[in-house]
Amino acid sequence: MTAPIPRDIPDLPALPGMPTLLPTPVPATAVVTPVRRPLVAVYRLLIALSAAAGVTIELLLGSPAQVVSYFAIQSNALLALVLVFSAGRAWTARRPLPSALTGAALLYITITGLVYHLLLANQASPFALTGEAATATGWHALSNALLHTAVPVAALLDWLLLTAPDRLHLRQASTWLLYPVAYLAFSLIRGELLAPGTPGRYLYPFLDVDHHGYKSVLANALLLGLSIYALALLLVALDHLRPNPTRHRPKTGFRLGPPVG
């Protein structure tokens, strides 16, 4: 014989607290299958080679010590290095570079293009280039086109069309300002160390203390710094609003057919 089943089964005692889910140590790459992107790697290598070509031309035509002091040269050199490593990771299906590094390179090369076209090459600007710098020809014209137009546009297209979104963060925007501030200090100290009247004593017209004085130069630097910070915030906002161009539809292995009956 078996014992009779009771009609009323007592409830189980309540748990004293909700269990805490422990963070999983499994990286995202173990869940999402890495995908090789050879075309993306080739495109990024082409951008890096273009930036390197522009920098090399300037080094061959001018004084290397002065050439490497320009913000445009430094931003293009940084972008070339970042894109070379990024291309290698895309080719071998490894995790992308940290967004703090790639976002900084994108911001600085964007600044290079905007400052050149809005302030230096724009004849309506009070800081427009004059003389030989405004009428570059030959190899100088080619390097100008590469460093200030082709490479910044290509880098922006790579970010918009070939890079996954939601990687930039608001806290990174203030960190990215450290390099422009350091460059401002370097530019002013360099100008003070050179003798008055030295060609290229101040690298950019809006930082020329001889013509504008420290008060105006610092005011220009403040406005430019606020503009750079606003641009950084804009890039972060766009990164979270734009669609994902790298999303692939998963293959399920079967196809749905029409309903039967």
Side-chain angles (χ1 to χ4, degrees), residues 91-132:
W91 185 272
T92 56
R94 288 184 294 167
R95 297 181 63 183
L97 294 174
S99 61
L101 178 60
T102 56
L106 175 67
L107 175 64
Y108 302 150
I109 200 65
T110 305
I111 293 170
T112 296
L114 291 178
V115 167
Y116 179 78
H117 288 283
L118 296 180
L119 296 180
L120 302 179
N122 182 12
Q123 296 303 317
S125 168
F127 307 111
L129 296 174
T130 58
E132 295 181 358

Side-chain angles (χ1 to χ4, degrees), residues 138-158:
W139 289 104
H140 277 300
L142 176 60
S143 64
N144 270 342
L146 288 174
L147 298 175
H148 302 105
T149 304
V151 171
V153 170
L156 283 172
L157 291 177
D158 173 70

Side-chain angles (χ1 to χ4, degrees), residues 23-257:
T24 174
V26 180
T29 52
V31 180
V32 181
T33 305
V35 178
R36 290 184 67 250
R37 306 172 67 194
L39 294 180
V40 174
V42 171
Y43 178 71
R44 290 174 179 172
L45 280 179
L46 289 176
I47 302 176
L49 289 175
S50 300
V55 172
T56 303
I57 292 173
E58 289 295 322
L59 289 174
L60 293 176
L61 297 179
S63 171
Q66 181 172 348
V67 168
V68 297
S69 300
Y70 283 100
F71 185 91
I73 298 296
Q74 297 176 14
S75 62
N76 274 270
L78 173 63
L79 180 72
L81 290 175
V82 169
L83 287 182
V84 165
F85 287 102
S86 181
R89 289 172 177 258
W91 185 272
T92 56
R94 288 184 294 167
R95 297 181 63 183
L97 294 174
S99 61
L101 178 60
T102 56
L106 175 67
L107 175 64
Y108 302 150
I109 200 65
T110 305
I111 293 170
T112 296
L114 291 178
V115 167
Y116 179 78
H117 288 283
L118 296 180
L119 296 180
L120 302 179
N122 182 12
Q123 296 303 317
S125 168
F127 307 111
L129 296 174
T130 58
E132 295 181 358
T135 57
T137 58
W139 289 104
H140 277 300
L142 176 60
S143 64
N144 270 342
L146 288 174
L147 298 175
H148 302 105
T149 304
V151 171
V153 170
L156 283 172
L157 291 177
D158 173 70
W159 174 63
L160 290 172
L161 303 179
L162 303 176
T163 306
D166 298 333
R167 300 192 68 239
L168 304 182
H169 304 286
L170 189 62
R171 64 179 180 273
Q172 297 170 341
S174 57
T175 305
W176 294 335
L177 292 179
L178 295 178
Y179 169 60
V181 171
Y183 182 82
L184 171 64
F186 159 77
S187 181
L188 296 179
I189 293 175
R190 176 184 178 276
E192 288 296 326
L193 294 178
L194 295 177
T198 304
R201 183 185 181 191
Y202 293 100
L203 300 170
Y204 293 97
F206 47 82
L207 298 179
D208 194 335
V209 177
D210 291 337
H211 285 80
H212 305 290
Y214 269 103
K215 184 177 181 180
S216 296
V217 165
L218 293 179
N220 295 335
L222 178 60
L223 291 176
L224 191 58
L226 293 176
S227 301
I228 292 174
Y229 186 65
L231 177 61
L233 296 180
L234 177 62
L235 291 178
V236 173
L238 290 177
D239 189 57
H240 289 268
L241 294 176
R242 63 190 179 95
N244 189 352
T246 63
R247 181 179 299 167
H248 299 279
R249 181 177 296 178
K251 296 181 179 180
T252 59
F254 64 89
R255 299 178 63 183
L256 295 178

Side-chain angles (χ1 to χ4, degrees), residues 1-5:
M1 297 180 63
T2 58
I5 300 176

